[in-house]
Each structure stands twice: as C-alpha cells, then as structure tokens.
Amino acid sequence: MPGFHFTVNVHEKEHLSALKEILYFENYFHKILFKEKNKILSATLYENYPLKRITEGVFIEGKIYNNPEFKTDILKIRNEKDIEKFVDKNDGDYIIFIKNKKGIVIFNDFLGRLPLYSYKDNNKIIISREIGFIKKLIEKFEIDKKGLAEYLVFSYPLGERTLFKHIKRIPPFSFILINENEVKIKKIKELNFEEKEGFTEKELNKVIELFKKACKERYDGKSVNVLSLSGGLDSRTTGTALFKEKLPFICVSCLLPDKSNLYDVEIAERVAKKLNVEFHLIKTEEKKEHIEKLLRMKYGLNNFKFAYSIDFFEKLWKLKGRKINCFTGFGGPVLNPGIFPYRKTRNIKELYKYIIEKHSYFKPSESAELLGLNKKEIKEDIMEILENFPENTSDFKYSHFLIYQRDFKLVFEGEDRNRFFVWSQTPFYSREFFEKVISIPKKYKENLKLYRNFLKNLWNETAEITYANAGMPITSLKFKISRYLFSIIYAFFPFLQKKIRESSHINAEEKEILKNYIGQSNLLNFHKKFEIKSRNSLLILNLFYIEKLSTGDLFWHRRYK
C-alpha cells in the first residue's frame, strides 16, 4: 500500500526488506523519510501519490481539501487539544506524522479514511498502512479467531480488531503517541448521530451547495479527473455536481467479468451522455493472479470477489495514464433512509436482532460453532460494541454502526484498494456536508424523499434517468409507490427480509463441495465450475485463502473433512 510505515526497534535491513516485498507494481518505489536511533519512518509510493514533507520530521499522507494554509496549522500543533482543533478545521483524507519534543505523534482525519494498522510486542512497535508490511516483521503471524467469527457474521471484523492477532486498526479521529518503547493510542472524539431539529426543506439548497463545494475542493486541475460511474444514484450525483460546477471530467464504467451488470452500465452511459462527457466502458477479466495479488494487498479485508478491480485499474492506466484523480459515489447512503432501521428498535437487544437479520451472513452462533468459540461470547461482544456507542437511542446507534463499523471496516477498505492505483476520494464524506446530512431527521429521508429532492434540485435531467437498482426513475410515481410499499413490508413483515437473506446462505450441496475441494489452487475455476453464487460460500473461500496466505495451516480444511 502506498503510504507510511513506521517502526521502533526494527533493524534497518529488515525494514527495507519488508518494503521491497510490498512493491506490487513496476511504478512503485520506496524511500526512508526519517531515521533516528531505533526509529524509522518510510513510505511506499508511486508518482503523484500524495505524501509530502512539511518540514524536518513532519509529513502528511493524503490530502486536505478546504484549507490551503494547513501546513501552518500543522506546525502549531503542540498537544491533544491542538490536534482536535486541527481535525475539526481541516476537511480531508489524511494521516499526519510529527516528531516533536514529546516523541512521535501520528493522527488521522475525523473518519479515519486512510486505514492504518498497529502492532506492539515486548520489543517492537509497528505502525503501517499495510498489514503485509507488519507480517514481514513479526515472528508470529496468527489468525484471530474472534476476528474471523465477526468476519463470518458481517464480512468484516468489528471495532479495532483485524483478522490477525495483535494487529489493530487505528480508530478514526485518533492520535498515537510514541515515546521510547511506549505507545499510547487514544480516540480524541467520536461523532454522535442523534437527529438535530431545525432542518427544513428550504435548507436543501444549502446542503446542495455544500456538496458542490466539496466536489470543487476535491477537483485536481493538474490530473485527469475520472468519475467511476455506475447506474445507481451516488456516482451520478457526484457527476451532476461536477457538471454543474463546470469542472471537466471523464466517466468510466466497469463491466464485470460475468457481464452481470450490463443493464447497470447501459444506464451509466445514458447518464454520461446527458452530462455531455467522455465515456469509457472497461471490460474486466477474472484472473487467478489478480485474486492472489488482492489477497496479498489487503489480507482478506477486501473480498477476493473484487479482484477484477485490479484488471480495471490496469486498463484505466493504459487508457488515461497514471496521473488520475478518481471521484466515486462512496458514502451516498448517508442521504437515504437506510441509515436508519426500517422498523423502530426500542433497546439494544432489538437493535442487535435487527442488525443480525439485515446484515449477517452467518448467525453469530453458527460462526462460533464453526470456530469452536463460545456462542454466547460472540453475541455479547457485538452487543457491548452497540451499547458503547454515544447515542441515547438504539435507532441512532444503528446509524453509528453503519458508519463506524460497516463503512469504516468495509467501505473504506474497498476504497483504499483503489488507492493502490490512483488517488480516490468522494464528496459524500466532506466534513461539513457529512455532518449536516447525517443529522437530518428520518422523516425527510423516508422513501428516498431527501435524495430524490436533492438530485432533482441539483439537476432534474439526471434525476429523470432510470435508477438501475429500481428499473425506473426516482422521480416517477411508480417509484414513490414502490418505495412506500417496500418500507411497509420491511417494517411490519421482517421475516420476509430474513427469507431473502437466507436464500443466499450456504446450502448442503455447497458445503459438500467445500469439503472436497477447498485448498485447491485453481480457485478461479472453482466457483465457476460449481456455480457457487451464495455470499456465504464466497466469504468462506476468502477465509480459506487468507489462512493459506498467512500461516499455511488450513484449519478450515481440517474442520470440513
């Protein structure tokens, strides 16, 4: 992963050797940024990746979009309060490294948009943008069974946990203080997603202006600005804002290897035509080497089913060169009612039940049984995380779960995969816009009302193009009726939603296939040959290969024999 790698008590030869192991493409290079006694700060980079030296011992990875004078603000930082003020003021996706009299200070932005990992034992301290770098430098690289159990439930481990023992994800809005052989990691602030009264529909234009401002600030006039466009609402909203701001850009869409999204890319092309911008369709292929490379790049935190994205970006490089600023629609769901539960949850138990119904792949009891863990303990761990969220009511704790767990551990990891190739960002996570939209009461978001009005007011022409997920425009009467019925069904007949989820669960035939074929190297043809389509099968396959990659000990294989 391009970005920072910091070690304490690691020999320079070992540090450099680990860096060489994570140079995945021919345009990657590494360099030492800072070295003092037993401490080394280095970076892996490609040309144009945003990592800069501010002054002696002070570096920034990423971008700050809203403040051209941010360097002056960085140099004023002396303590925790200064860090809090800085993060509150500066909108961006970043990690900042400062060497001062107190030691080494590292901190991130308000949502922790750039994944950062830590490891500490009795001797070594490692802070890195990449788990693969940490793996090269530690003696025991072991699977965390609780992390795996949570992964089987949600497709990501919760909280600071990763899939590996002693390797933690640094929380958002946090700082790390390293002094000699001591390391302190502290969360400065955690956002509260309680509704704020006072919003009226008349304020919608102000929200739209904040969004356009975010697009304008993220635009890079020195690069090729590319919008990754689908047939959904989020990326077209980003494109519409760029269009309205008269900012030149091109659109690219990805055709999946199995061509299952043909309808989606047809809609995307119609949107691009309406925006009067250059459009390219990149047809991707599924290659075994891409699966293996993605597993090494993300160590299971991005499912191998997204391996086609490597082919996508390599073809994008050939098409438009490597100086690319990529816009996406990540974060768009903050505008829709899915940020709240479809039915009211009165307490943590009901919230837990709702989350498991709506978001689980395996039930916690099933994942615990597979791993030989205490069934009750997995459930209690999840409920404790929910209980500790700062909101007073369970419905708003659900919003917190979606942002601080799902987005932080799933969406941000997916977006970070893109940064192996190009700088990728989204206006939806702009600080001002995000905090304004997340606090808008549920009644304005119901049945996609807020999103519909937002896009219509931004530019009605793109709002009237078919929404691929629904097969109709969101402005149509048919869509409004269908959304209303959808919300009623899920609110009063939750078992129907559960049935839909269970239809994608692993079945007996697939389990038998897994018993007989897991551990074989020809993974690419494996799920093609047996037409394994369920989400659970792919989830397990991903874990098999993480296990193989990390330790060579396929305990999964033994369990299914």
Side-chain angles (χ1 to χ4, degrees), residues 16 49 78 80 143 169 184 210 297 327 349 544:
L16 289 170
Y49 185 80
R78 297 288 181 272
E80 182 182 331
I143 294 290
R169 174 82 181 268
K184 173 187 176 184
L210 287 176
M297 285 159 59
F327 281 87
K349 284 185 179 179
F544 283 135

Side-chain angles (χ1 to χ4, degrees), residues 137-163:
L137 297 173
I138 61 179
E139 291 179 15
K140 282 189 175 182
F141 188 65
E142 300 176 275
I143 294 290
D144 182 335
K145 280 195 175 184
K146 275 196 175 180
L148 283 188
E150 291 169 353
Y151 183 90
L152 283 172
V153 176
F154 297 113
S155 82
Y156 48 87
L158 300 176
E160 297 174 22
R161 190 174 276 132
T162 67
L163 295 170

Side-chain angles (χ1 to χ4, degrees), residues 192-197 340 396 438-443:
N192 187 312
F193 297 133
E194 299 278 2
E195 286 180 351
K196 291 184 176 64
E197 292 302 325
F340 302 107
F396 298 124
I438 203 73
S439 66
I440 294 174
K442 181 180 180 179
K443 62 183 179 181

